[in-house]
Amino acid sequence: MTDAEQQDWFGQFAPGHGVHRAPPPKAEGPRDGIVFRRSPTARNYRLSLGRDGVAVATIPVRGSMREAERFVERNRTWLERARERQRSRPRAADVWTLGTRVLWRGDLAEIRRATDGERPSVCLGADVFRVPRLEDDLRPALHARFIRLAKVELPARAWELAATTRMNVTRVTVRDQRSRWGSCTAAGVVSLNWRLILTPESVRDYIILHELMHLREMNHSRRFWACVGEVFPAWREAEAWIKRNAGYTGL
Ligand SMILES: [Zn+2]
């Protein structure tokens, strides 16, 4: 039980499969923008679209290339829609300057020059952040400030919610995860993505509670979602927000 881990991915879509781990890369050549990979652990055919726009079709242990191609054919409409969603997803600006609107605590906030103080600083909503120089790309400096704040705020909230739901959490870490919002081990270690500080509080709470409920159910079964529904009835709205806005968070 101790090495079981539930990972919550975002940015990969698989029809009919809630969770999956990335298969070890064993490419069988791209066709039609799709890479076929044989996986020694997969039990089902799977199609996923990566953040890089490459679609990967996984062939299970006993599967065949021919069957994989049929599977891809059956899911072609899904793949086209997923590609469309990826194209139309909002993206965060690459370079941040005064006037850039960025996602901050659930709102698109304009980076403004802070009026007081002699050191260069900017306001985002009600928060003020010091930056090295107002003329530079502000993104690296602000990211560093966000992460520092997230490392204080997110564990505090996680411990609070662990207490109210009586879940046995042993450690909370905040990380720069590239493709998921959080994860949870059976030993009670909860890892949260620092980007949860960019989302509305309700979405942050949902992700934390989602991870905590994995301590009851280490999967995405019907029983798991029932647990989530008990502690966070509006989880569908939170999931919808994540789908619409993930591009702004850099995930
Ligand atoms: Zn999950």
Side-chain angles (χ1 to χ4, degrees):
M1 216 19 209
T2 47
D3 58 352
E5 186 175 2
Q6 187 61 52
Q7 302 188 327
D8 290 301
W9 293 79
F10 190 83
Q12 271 191 316
F13 312 85
H17 296 270
V19 187
H20 55 276
R21 286 153 204 275
K26 196 178 174 206
E28 299 209 353
R31 285 180 206 197
D32 211 0
I34 298 163
V35 176
F36 289 83
R37 262 179 209 165
R38 202 166 272 283
S39 158
T41 52
R43 270 179 280 172
N44 299 304
Y45 290 95
R46 202 158 63 201
L47 183 61
S48 65
L49 180 64
R51 280 148 38 90
D52 53 6
V54 176
V56 176
T58 304
I59 309 171
V61 194
R62 292 169 208 278
S64 71
M65 185 67 191
R66 198 165 183 181
E67 196 48 49
E69 279 170 338
R70 271 193 223 124
F71 178 79
V72 166
E73 230 22 76
R74 282 201 298 278
N75 288 284
R76 191 154 297 273
T77 316
W78 170 85
L79 180 60
E80 273 156 27
R81 286 207 192 113
R83 285 213 158 108
E84 190 50 49
R85 272 200 303 275
Q86 200 171 56
R87 275 194 292 273
S88 60
R89 216 191 278 166
R91 261 176 227 295
D94 288 332
V95 174
W96 292 5
T97 60
L98 291 174
T100 304
R101 284 161 69 79
V102 302
L103 187 66
W104 177 243
R105 298 196 189 277
D107 287 316
L108 273 183
E110 187 183 326
I111 303 176
R112 287 175 296 123
R113 185 194 299 265
T115 46
D116 52 31
E118 283 145 40
R119 298 214 176 109
S121 18
V122 297
C123 305
L124 266 182
D127 296 280
V128 177
F129 298 99
R130 197 128 20 93
V131 294
R133 271 163 48 90
L134 288 169
E135 298 77 17
D136 293 344
D137 177 8
L138 301 171
R139 187 169 164 152
L142 285 176
H143 263 190
R145 304 280 175 217
F146 293 174
I147 291 170
R148 199 193 286 178
L149 207 50
K151 285 188 169 167
V152 176
E153 291 185 12
L154 297 179
R157 186 58 179 156
W159 287 112
E160 217 166 71
L161 291 173
T164 54
T165 55
R166 299 178 186 210
M167 298 318 290
N168 213 349
V169 170
T170 53
R171 199 151 64 91
V172 180
T173 63
V174 172
R175 285 156 54 182
D176 185 17
Q177 292 141 313
R178 298 306 308 188
S179 58
R180 60 188 195 225
W181 288 100
S183 64
C184 180
T185 72
V189 180
V190 173
S191 297
L192 299 170
N193 195 314
W194 68 263
R195 290 170 184 81
L196 288 171
I197 203 171
L198 308 179
T199 70
E201 288 181 354
S202 60
V203 171
R204 173 203 65 194
D205 283 358
Y206 159 65
I207 293 289
I208 294 172
L209 288 165
H210 177 124
E211 297 310 333
L212 293 178
M213 290 305 108
H214 277 314
L215 293 173
R216 288 194 191 155
E217 292 286 333
M218 260 305 156
N219 52 51
H220 289 125
S221 61
R222 203 177 280 250
R223 284 223 306 267
F224 168 77
W225 289 110
C227 292
V228 172
E230 246 172 62
V231 293
F232 195 91
W235 64 268
R236 283 187 184 82
E237 284 86 333
E239 284 280 348
W241 187 95
I242 288 170
K243 289 222 164 63
R244 276 198 313 276
N245 295 283
Y248 283 121
T249 66
L251 264 197

